[in-house]
Amino acid sequence: MKANLGLNSAQLEAVTAPLGPVLILAGAGSGKTRALTMRIVYLIKKLKFNPINILAVTFTNKAAGEMKNRIIRLIGKSEQLPTMGTFHSIGVKILRAEGNLVGLNSNFVIYDNDDQESLLKDILLDFKLDPIRYKPNIFAGIIDRSKNDLSQPEDKLARKIYDEYQSRLLKNNAVDFGDLLVWPVRIFQKHPKVLKKYQELWRYILVDEYQDTNHVQYKFCQLLAAAHRNIFVVGDDAQAIYGFRGANLQNILDFEDDYPESIIVRLEQNYRSTAPILSIAEKIIELNPKQHKKRLWTQNLTGETPVLFVAEDELAESYFVAGKILEIQDPPSLRLRRAVGNFDELEYTEDDSVFARSPDSSGRRSNLIQRSPRLAGGEARDDSEGILSRLMQKFSSRVLPKLKNRQGLNNIAILYRTHVQSRVLEEVMIESSIPYQIVGGLKFYERKEIKDVLSYLRLLVNPNDLISLKRVINVPPRGIGPASFDVLKNILLTHSRESGNLGKIPDQVRDGTVKPQIKNFFEMLSGLTKLEESANLLDLLKQILKLSGYETFLRDGSEEGESRWENVQELFNVAASFKNLPWRDGLNQFLEEIALMTQADEVDLDSPKITLMTLHQAKGLEFETVFMVGIEEGILPHARSLLEPKEIAEEIRLAYVGVTRAKKRLFLIYAQSRKQFGSRNLSVPSRILKAIPEEMLKIEQGGLPF
């Protein structure tokens, strides 16, 4: 291997660290992925580790895929590869092999949030509890938190629901996401021989984003590393933002206590952002005193001064963002056309702003963020007046020009604290013909028609899956109502079927005890399992849509039906990746891959669209231009955090994450008033803004584009 591997001195120290526990404190944009990848290559090439004895755990499938591709380029395809994946994908591998120890067959299915809540609703109804009053999603949250903590609910009713929920999961031969780690940890704790097998298999463990691990993930790593103490974790406590999901910041803060012999390496050189952006990030994170000390620096000393824009309200905020995007994409000049009146056109050069700046009488802008909301003409606003009515005022209204140049739009992101902030932004983007994508909206695999098709597929893998059966047994309509399904469910729960053999239909179904439509449904599924072995997943999908009548059901001649059918056709495109496998193998891999997908895996950063996303969803990404909107007390930091210092600290880290996503341009925006919960309220600039010295910012102010 080359002497320095193309790494800086700190990265080289991390990559060539001796065996044993190592903590890499990697600041934002410091090249941690490269260091992690090169550490794996170093283990294989220099320390002669067998790749199969290396386990690398990441938090997204995308990160695991990128790491795998980098390693292949460095060591070649002929070599065996380490085991790489998310915590949950590693958990699946273990459960497929060891699940019988906790009552699971290897063909278990993974329930998503909808499946989980559907099962909980059934349980509540069976317990004579009203699901409207006792909401399934509340119990789902309690169960998830309990599994993250390796505990059980303290509340008596919640414990009863939890126990019944786990019992039914096992009867359905199903697991939820929490089980994918809870069960392996329980197996390791109760079966020392199994634990030893995996300790010998994975003699070296690497963990990315260690600051975001929860207790069950921490325990998983601790158990595996106990034998050889070869654990290499990478993280940044300044970017710990998932406490609401159960992540425990103490895991990274206490690493030295857990492993007193550990080596600590700090990666502080930033390769992403300019010095002006890093200076602001530093001021923000200084609001949190309890953290590992490190100071980011960069050789990119010059760059645009970050902008603080003081908007009149959320509409002015959105117009400012759209205007700046147009300036970036369509320089050197833009036109603002009057929508009504004399239709005069206003022109300005790239040195002008979409909105006029408004210095105070002394020429300073130091008190801009303290001003009260006023219209451009100086009149106090009638807060009862809606945005739409103000938009429709016929005098002095202006319309932003339409975007022409779409190249490079994927390098622009608008980040907000919560999704409710996106609505006005979307409307203005549409008005300006700026294409966008929203991360975290209705995901493809959550659409009704996609879930229907996936339920048919899951029944072929796991006939015990009553949630999938309930979903599709009467879709398309077959005259099988809730009462008929309840009869069938009781039959199936008392009938022992051979695992995976839908050809063995229960006698009560075969002899006509239940409706003939139910018998026909099972015979249809049985016929699908007899598809010739040489067929592939695409062949299976076509047969399901034909024999079930689902294609005809969707394509009913309506526009909505055709739209839903187009989504199903897109599923064919996804399934095409498995067309070279026999249908059974392809089906298993296909369903597992979909079940383990995260929101981060669905982000498309290559299409010419700007990205709208929450600050949480932006973690791990980078953009040339970042707009952070709604930087106000009660939004960032969020109102729910204001009474708890620990939660405020996480909100500050969230702001730090947002700022450090920016490579070249950063815009920080707060609105002087904002409509929330049906009423307009004056806003207070966030403490996060107040932490930034004014000389670090270019401050602009504007009202509505009137």
Side-chain angles (χ1 to χ4, degrees):
M1 296 182 70
K2 295 181 180 179
N4 65 355
L5 307 174
L7 305 168
N8 66 35
S9 58
Q11 289 172 331
L12 185 63
E13 182 184 355
V15 168
T16 59
L19 296 179
V22 179
L23 169 62
I24 308 300
L25 293 171
S30 61
K32 71 177 179 67
T33 303
R34 178 167 175 75
L36 195 61
T37 303
M38 293 305 297
R39 175 63 172 180
I40 295 173
V41 175
Y42 183 81
L43 290 171
I44 296 170
K45 293 292 188 181
K46 188 72 175 178
L47 300 186
K48 305 302 180 183
F49 264 79
N50 188 328
I52 65 172
N53 294 138
I54 299 172
L55 171 66
V57 187
T58 67
F59 266 79
T60 68
N61 298 300
K62 184 177 181 181
E66 290 174 354
M67 189 182 299
K68 179 179 178 181
N69 290 335
R70 289 190 188 193
I71 290 173
I72 288 174
R73 286 198 299 269
L74 290 166
I75 69 175
K77 285 185 177 181
S78 59
E79 296 272 4
Q80 285 183 302
L81 290 175
T83 300
M84 292 174 281
T86 64
F87 275 104
H88 293 103
S89 68
I90 304 302
V92 169
K93 292 179 188 297
I94 295 170
L95 279 184
R96 295 286 184 207
E98 318 293 344
N100 62 298
L101 295 174
V102 292
L104 288 168
N105 294 327
S106 62
N107 63 339
F108 63 81
V109 294
I110 304 167
Y111 279 0
D112 62 17
N113 291 340
D114 285 346
D115 302 322
Q116 188 180 19
E117 291 184 19
S118 179
L119 179 55
L120 284 166
K121 183 178 179 181
D122 288 346
I123 292 170
L124 290 169
L125 289 172
D126 289 346
F127 285 178
K128 303 293 189 287
L129 296 172
D130 183 1
I132 296 177
R133 181 182 176 188
Y134 297 92
K135 298 184 182 300
N137 65 316
I138 299 297
F139 286 100
I142 293 171
I143 290 169
D144 288 343
R145 286 191 293 275
S146 297
K147 291 184 178 182
N148 287 340
D149 295 336
L150 282 174
S151 63
Q152 291 188 324
E154 294 180 2
D155 177 79
K156 187 176 180 180
L157 176 60
R159 176 69 179 269
K160 180 181 178 182
I161 298 294
Y162 179 96
D163 290 342
E164 181 64 20
Y165 172 77
Q166 287 302 118
S167 174
R168 294 199 190 185
L169 281 176
L170 286 175
K171 287 177 181 176
N172 289 0
N173 195 33
V175 296
D176 62 20
F177 253 57
D179 289 330
L180 295 177
L181 284 173
V182 170
W183 283 132
V185 167
R186 296 296 187 212
I187 290 171
F188 289 163
Q189 291 173 327
K190 294 180 180 179
H191 302 276
K193 290 184 179 179
V194 175
L195 173 60
K196 185 176 181 180
K197 178 175 79 171
Y198 286 96
Q199 287 174 336
E200 292 306 310
L201 174 62
W202 294 320
R203 302 170 71 89
Y204 200 96
I205 300 161
L206 304 96
V207 187
D208 194 10
E209 305 286 6
Y210 192 67
Q211 78 281 349
D212 290 329
T213 53
N214 57 32
H215 182 65
V216 68
Q217 291 164 338
Y218 164 82
K219 198 67 181 177
F220 179 82
C221 296
Q222 185 188 54
L223 287 167
L224 284 175
H228 303 286
R229 298 182 75 79
N230 286 328
I231 182 167
F232 184 99
V233 303
V234 181
D236 180 8
D237 53 309
Q239 298 185 70
I241 60 172
Y242 291 114
F244 69 100
R245 291 185 187 169
N248 187 357
L249 178 60
Q250 288 302 127
N251 291 345
I252 193 168
L253 296 177
D254 294 344
F255 187 83
E256 295 167 86
D257 295 332
D258 292 336
Y259 303 96
E261 74 275 31
S262 62
I263 294 172
I264 299 177
V265 181
R266 288 172 171 80
L267 304 184
E268 297 175 310
Q269 182 175 357
N270 179 283
Y271 292 93
R272 176 187 299 152
S273 306
T274 63
I277 292 172
L278 286 185
S279 296
I280 285 176
E282 193 72 28
K283 291 298 180 183
I284 291 172
I285 202 61
E286 283 176 359
L287 290 171
N288 281 351
K290 294 182 180 180
Q291 58 183 22
H292 281 292
K293 295 298 181 185
K294 56 187 172 300
R295 183 170 293 275
L296 292 183
W297 61 277
T298 179
Q299 293 180 340
N300 189 5
L301 299 178
T302 60
E304 297 183 24
T305 301
V307 172
L308 168 62
F309 181 71
V310 184
E312 173 113 10
D313 58 16
E314 67 272 25
L315 184 60
E317 175 181 69
S318 299
Y319 268 105
F320 172 78
V321 172
K324 284 298 180 184
I325 292 171
L326 292 168
E327 283 186 7
I328 292 166
Q329 294 297 118
D330 293 331
S333 66
L334 291 170
R335 294 174 180 269
L336 289 175
R337 182 183 298 272
R338 292 182 183 273
V340 293
N342 59 12
F343 292 93
D344 288 343
E345 289 185 351
L346 301 176
E347 293 188 12
Y348 61 95
T349 66
E350 59 184 335
D351 293 327
D352 297 323
S353 171
V354 175
F355 305 106
R357 300 177 196 169
S358 304
D360 62 22
S361 58
S362 66
R364 295 174 300 180
R365 299 185 178 86
S366 60
N367 63 345
L368 284 178
I369 62 174
Q370 304 298 333
R371 293 185 178 178
S372 299
R374 290 189 174 274
L375 292 176
E379 296 180 11
R381 173 176 319 156
D382 176 4
D383 285 339
S384 66
E385 188 175 18
I387 287 177
L388 182 59
S389 62
R390 285 188 282 123
L391 270 177
M392 298 303 291
Q393 292 180 48
K394 69 177 183 178
F395 56 88
S396 300
S397 65
R398 296 173 185 168
V399 178
L400 286 169
K402 305 299 183 186
L403 177 74
K404 294 179 181 178
N405 173 30
R406 299 190 175 195
Q407 187 174 356
L409 281 176
N410 56 311
N411 290 317
I412 299 174
I414 304 173
L415 309 182
Y416 38 73
R417 178 61 179 84
T418 63
H419 277 299
V420 297
Q421 295 170 254
S422 71
R423 183 187 61 81
V424 180
L425 287 161
E426 285 188 78
E427 291 171 358
V428 174
M429 296 305 126
I430 292 170
E431 178 187 330
S432 306
S433 298
I434 299 174
Y436 65 90
Q437 64 169 333
I438 290 189
V439 178
L442 179 63
K443 295 190 283 293
F444 177 75
Y445 295 106
E446 290 178 351
R447 298 179 187 275
K448 180 184 183 304
E449 59 276 13
I450 301 303
K451 292 212 63 161
D452 287 346
V453 176
L454 293 178
S455 291
Y456 276 107
L457 291 172
R458 290 190 343 183
L459 282 171
L460 298 180
V461 171
N462 176 24
N464 298 321
D465 182 4
L466 292 178
I467 296 299
S468 292
L469 181 62
K470 182 179 180 180
R471 183 179 186 95
V472 296
I473 195 166
N474 201 39
V475 178
R478 299 183 175 93
I480 306 172
S484 298
F485 178 76
D486 285 342
V487 172
L488 174 63
K489 182 176 73 171
N490 291 330
I491 292 172
L492 296 178
L493 286 173
T494 56
H495 180 79
S496 176
R497 289 180 291 165
E498 294 180 12
S499 177
N501 184 6
L502 277 170
K504 187 174 176 57
I505 301 171
D507 291 338
Q508 294 96 323
V509 174
R510 190 189 304 277
D511 64 18
T513 302
V514 295
K515 285 187 173 183
Q517 297 96 312
I518 294 178
K519 179 181 179 181
N520 294 340
F521 178 83
F522 274 85
E523 288 178 343
M524 180 265 294
L525 291 178
S526 178
L528 288 167
T529 64
K530 296 172 183 175
L531 194 65
E532 56 189 35
E533 294 299 322
S534 60
N536 61 31
L537 183 56
L538 291 174
D539 297 323
L540 177 64
L541 273 173
K542 290 174 185 175
Q543 286 298 307
I544 285 175
L545 293 168
K546 178 182 177 182
L547 296 179
S548 68
Y550 197 73
E551 178 179 351
T552 304
F553 169 66
L554 280 186
R555 306 188 74 178
D556 58 1
S558 69
E559 187 175 336
E560 181 184 2
E562 284 304 311
S563 176
R564 291 184 182 278
W565 175 244
E566 287 173 5
N567 289 332
V568 173
Q569 288 180 306
E570 179 60 28
L571 193 64
F572 274 85
N573 294 333
V574 180
S577 303
F578 303 89
K579 65 182 180 182
N580 294 326
L581 296 173
W583 72 266
R584 291 183 189 275
D585 294 338
L587 176 57
N588 285 319
Q589 291 187 30
F590 175 65
L591 290 175
E592 187 170 299
E593 184 173 298
I594 289 173
L596 293 174
M597 284 191 74
T598 65
Q599 284 187 343
D601 298 316
E602 296 192 28
V603 180
D604 178 9
L605 296 180
D606 297 322
S607 299
K609 303 173 184 176
I610 65 167
T611 300
L612 279 70
M613 64 200 317
T614 66
L615 288 159
H616 286 100
Q617 292 161 340
K619 178 76 182 297
L621 303 177
E622 61 183 27
F623 302 88
E624 289 190 6
T625 303
V626 167
F627 296 89
M628 283 179 60
V629 300
I631 310 180
E632 300 142 31
E633 289 291 303
I635 295 181
L636 184 66
H638 196 279
R640 288 195 302 264
S641 72
L642 296 180
L643 298 178
E644 177 54 59
K646 186 180 292 187
E647 292 183 11
I648 289 178
E650 182 158 314
E651 295 288 304
I652 290 166
R653 293 193 294 270
L654 191 56
Y656 174 83
V657 166
V659 167
T660 54
R661 300 310 95 197
K663 297 168 71 174
K664 293 182 179 180
R665 305 180 195 89
L666 174 65
F667 296 90
L668 306 175
I669 307 159
Y670 103 88
Q672 294 174 313
S673 79
R674 189 175 297 273
K675 195 167 188 178
Q676 293 178 295
F677 310 111
S679 62
R680 181 163 297 283
N681 301 302
L682 296 182
S683 302
V684 177
S686 172
R687 68 194 70 192
I688 291 161
L689 290 179
K690 294 177 180 179
I692 305 169
E694 289 182 13
E695 58 269 21
M696 291 185 176
L697 296 164
K698 177 182 178 183
I699 303 177
E700 300 182 10
Q701 184 179 35
L704 287 167
F706 293 160

